[in-house]
Amino acid sequence: MRTIVMLAMLLAVTSAKAQTEGKVTIPEGQTTVADSAYYKNIEMTSLEFPASVETLGANIVDHCFKLTHLEVHADNPFFKSIDGVIYSKDGKTLVLCPPGKTGEFVVPRHATIIAPYAFRTCKKITSIVLPEGIEEIPDGAFIGCWGLEKINLPQGLKRIGKRAFDGTIIQKMNMPTTMELIDDEAFVNTSLVEVNLRVNEPFELGEDVFSEIHVTRLNVPAAGLQNFKKHPKWGKFGRITPTRSYWTVKLP
């Protein structure tokens, strides 16, 4: 009898371990995924959400670097999955990208909203392609994307949220003419060395937007050069020069 009990316990542990180390399925009937539910589950490769899930907590898959696929049951009324990424049911909001995604990620045209922290710790993504129609890059959207070196900011974008690019390795950034605000610490801990603008008048900056503003070059149209140099925040850039300079990257 004792042997049978011990064998049953061993099988249960083995089964749980196998689920943790690969494909994990959230049981039907569960309505909420708690904050940090699978945080640093380094062996999980896929995670399945049942039809019953209504809300997702914060940081649920952060640092799950083998996780490449998120799957939502087709009957879920709130979310759906496309190519392993979670979107709102109508497809307009990109909710969560698994940290194991690699290379270039193209946000589909139907997704005009990115949820806060949607790409957090997606360290293997190297470039992001954003569609027209996105007006905001929200707080923490790409925080911890340590391999992110390229992104396009489409015309129509108005706001970049707090710590949106914290930890990325983007070196050059072209800002669209529609920008209205870059919020606090949006580019802290980055490799940014050049910011290119096409507007003559400064727009709003939060606090400590750039981590090393004294070494980052700001390129602006010649007609607006003095406006930026005299601005209390934009004027802190170590080098502010006209966009006609030969080293300026081509703007779209």
Side-chain angles (χ1 to χ4, degrees):
M1 183 67 178
R2 182 180 178 183
T3 301
I4 294 175
V5 172
M6 292 180 66
L7 181 59
M9 291 176 63
L10 179 60
L11 288 172
V13 170
T14 303
S15 176
K17 184 177 180 181
Q19 187 180 51
T20 302
E21 290 183 349
K23 179 180 178 181
V24 176
T25 302
I26 298 172
E28 180 60 46
Q30 185 171 326
T31 59
T32 301
V33 182
D35 292 352
S36 305
Y38 299 96
Y39 178 72
K40 284 190 176 180
N41 186 326
I42 60 174
E43 298 300 329
M44 181 169 60
T45 57
S46 68
L47 179 60
E48 294 188 358
F49 297 78
S52 56
V53 166
E54 300 175 5
T55 57
L56 305 180
N59 317 325
I60 63 172
V61 294
D62 281 15
H63 296 87
C64 297
F65 297 130
K66 289 185 180 180
L67 179 64
T68 59
H69 195 82
L70 301 171
E71 185 66 36
V72 179
H73 193 283
D75 293 335
N76 188 294
F78 302 99
F79 307 104
K80 68 178 180 181
S81 55
I82 302 174
D83 296 329
V85 176
I86 295 181
Y87 296 83
S88 58
K89 193 66 175 182
D90 62 8
K92 293 181 179 180
T93 302
L94 192 157
V95 177
L96 186 63
C97 182
K101 285 286 185 182
T102 61
E104 181 177 84
F105 185 90
V106 179
V107 177
R109 291 187 178 276
H110 57 72
T112 55
I113 299 172
I114 298 175
Y117 304 97
F119 290 87
R120 177 155 47 186
T121 71
C122 289
K123 69 174 184 177
K124 300 176 184 179
I125 290 178
T126 56
S127 65
I128 296 285
V129 179
L130 299 177
E132 293 183 3
I134 287 184
E135 295 186 356
E136 177 180 5
I137 295 176
D139 295 354
F142 302 104
I143 188 172
C145 292
W146 306 316
L148 182 60
E149 56 186 2
K150 291 194 301 182
I151 187 171
N152 67 302
L153 301 185
Q155 192 70 6
L157 184 70
K158 297 178 180 179
R159 179 183 179 273
I160 296 176
K162 296 177 181 178
R163 301 185 68 191
F165 290 95
D166 185 349
T168 65
I169 57 172
I170 296 171
Q171 293 189 356
K172 297 182 180 181
M173 185 68 73
N174 295 337
M175 299 287 175
T177 60
T178 49
M179 285 297 304
E180 297 176 358
L181 167 67
I182 304 178
D183 215 334
D184 301 347
E185 300 182 327
F187 292 95
V188 296
N189 304 314
T190 68
S191 302
L192 198 63
V193 295
E194 185 175 311
V195 177
N196 299 295
L197 302 181
R198 290 181 288 176
V199 294
N200 294 329
E201 295 295 331
F203 54 86
E204 186 177 356
L205 281 186
E207 299 299 325
D208 302 317
V209 171
F210 304 96
S211 56
E212 294 191 61
I213 200 168
H214 61 285
V215 298
T216 304
R217 188 191 305 268
L218 175 65
N219 305 317
V220 300
L225 196 63
Q226 293 306 314
N227 295 333
F228 283 91
K229 285 186 174 182
K230 294 176 181 178
H231 192 272
K233 290 183 178 178
W234 286 104
K236 291 181 180 179
F237 272 84
R239 294 171 290 176
I240 305 178
T241 56
T243 52
R244 64 174 179 266
S245 298
Y246 72 92
W247 34 256
T248 301
V249 296
K250 184 178 179 181
L251 291 163

